Amino acid sequence: MRKGEVLKLGIVPYMEGKEIQLKAFERVKKGETDGILILLQHPPVYTIGVSGGFDENILVPLEELMKKAELYKVERGGKITFHGPGQIVAYPIFNLAKWQKDVHLFVYKLEETIIKLLEEYGIKAGRKPKYTGVWVGDEKICAIGIAVRRWITWHGIAFNVNTELSYFGLINACGITEFGVTSMQKLGINEDIEKVKEKMVDKFSEVFGIHFNEITLDRLAVIDNAKA
């Protein structure tokens, strides 16, 4: 069983979340743990991945979009998506050398984690050819966009629990025009987001074969400063 750490946070500004990822990345790179799973929510924010498609996937004037939420270009794969309250963003900072150096397998396991999580709530979810992520019918409930450096992963997944889905109406989420977006709430499941987080950690542990010890943000900072 691989050994990892989990950091459960509340609503964290996007750029602050990125800094936390980078601190976790350094800890994993130094071999001090096999992986760190960061779970949080963000204030409303649109992010655009390295696949671009900026102009054609924003459906309103840029000024209007930026009145609704912040906007950042980021290092992950994929195109534009939305993060906001009611959505669990999971950043698995994992050293794939401890598993397999196979990015496609890693993405498959991320999808499997969410599929198994939704089974706990009686929701049948699956994959869709040509598109990453987890789908319920023709609507995406979980988006995936990762980056990998030195076989260590960062960025991750965005899982809609009770997200305000109207934000997605201003964009072609992930560059997809023919399918929609859903959430647990839209599917009739009203669950406390903290309980969903707990189940998500269990599923990560099951699918990736990793035991997590919970740490705090202060603890991560202490470790980071001590190793600087």
Side-chain angles (χ1 to χ4, degrees):
M1 179 70 76
R2 299 161 189 89
K3 294 183 179 180
E5 297 165 345
V6 61
L7 182 60
K8 301 172 190 170
L9 304 172
I11 297 178
V12 178
Y14 186 81
M15 294 306 292
E16 183 179 332
K18 183 175 178 180
E19 289 302 313
I20 294 168
Q21 285 188 77
L22 292 173
K23 288 182 179 181
F25 187 99
E26 287 302 309
R27 180 156 164 73
V28 173
K29 186 177 75 172
K30 292 172 183 174
E32 294 158 7
T33 182
D34 294 335
I36 300 176
L37 178 63
I38 304 165
L39 300 176
L40 48 72
Q41 301 173 65
H42 287 306
V45 58
Y46 292 99
T47 64
I48 300 170
V50 296
S51 298
F54 180 78
D55 292 331
E56 63 266 33
N57 289 310
I58 294 179
L59 306 179
V60 296
L62 182 59
E63 295 78 10
E64 182 178 340
L65 190 81
M66 295 183 69
K67 287 179 182 177
K68 297 286 187 180
E70 294 184 299
L71 177 67
Y72 294 105
K73 291 185 178 180
V74 297
E75 303 86 352
R76 63 163 174 79
K79 298 184 179 179
I80 190 168
T81 195
F82 170 77
H83 304 305
Q87 180 191 79
I88 299 175
V89 177
Y91 294 128
I93 317 300
F94 287 2
N95 182 357
L96 292 187
K98 301 292 184 176
W99 283 267
Q100 287 178 261
K101 293 180 178 179
D102 186 330
V103 175
H104 293 291
L105 178 61
F106 175 68
V107 171
Y108 181 92
K109 285 187 172 184
L110 291 179
E111 292 168 339
E112 192 67 14
T113 298
I114 300 304
I115 290 169
K116 287 182 175 293
L117 171 63
L118 288 167
E119 285 177 356
E120 294 282 317
Y121 292 98
I123 298 172
K124 182 175 174 57
R127 299 172 178 84
K128 188 175 285 292
K130 298 197 303 179
Y131 298 115
T132 59
V134 177
W135 298 76
V136 180
D138 283 336
E139 294 184 314
K140 183 182 279 191
I141 195 167
C142 179
I144 297 177
I146 65 164
V148 181
R149 187 192 300 167
R150 299 182 183 179
W151 291 109
I152 299 172
T153 65
W154 61 309
H155 293 280
I157 68 175
F159 176 67
N160 296 325
V161 179
N162 52 22
T163 321
E164 176 51 68
L165 297 180
S166 64
Y167 284 94
F168 288 99
L170 306 182
I171 61 172
N172 292 324
C174 305
I176 299 170
T177 58
E178 64 267 49
F179 302 119
V181 177
T182 193
S183 66
M184 288 180 62
Q185 184 179 61
K186 184 177 176 181
L187 294 168
I189 306 294
N190 293 300
E191 176 69 292
D192 179 74
I193 198 164
E194 295 304 317
K195 292 182 179 179
V196 181
K197 278 186 188 177
E198 292 296 330
K199 290 181 182 292
M200 184 181 287
V201 172
D202 289 343
K203 296 307 174 185
F204 263 99
S205 182
E206 175 186 338
V207 171
F208 284 91
I210 183 170
H211 174 75
F212 292 111
N213 288 318
E214 186 167 356
I215 62 171
T216 64
L217 187 55
D218 287 343
R219 175 61 179 157
L220 181 63
V222 167
I223 293 168
D224 185 62
N225 290 334
K227 298 296 180 179

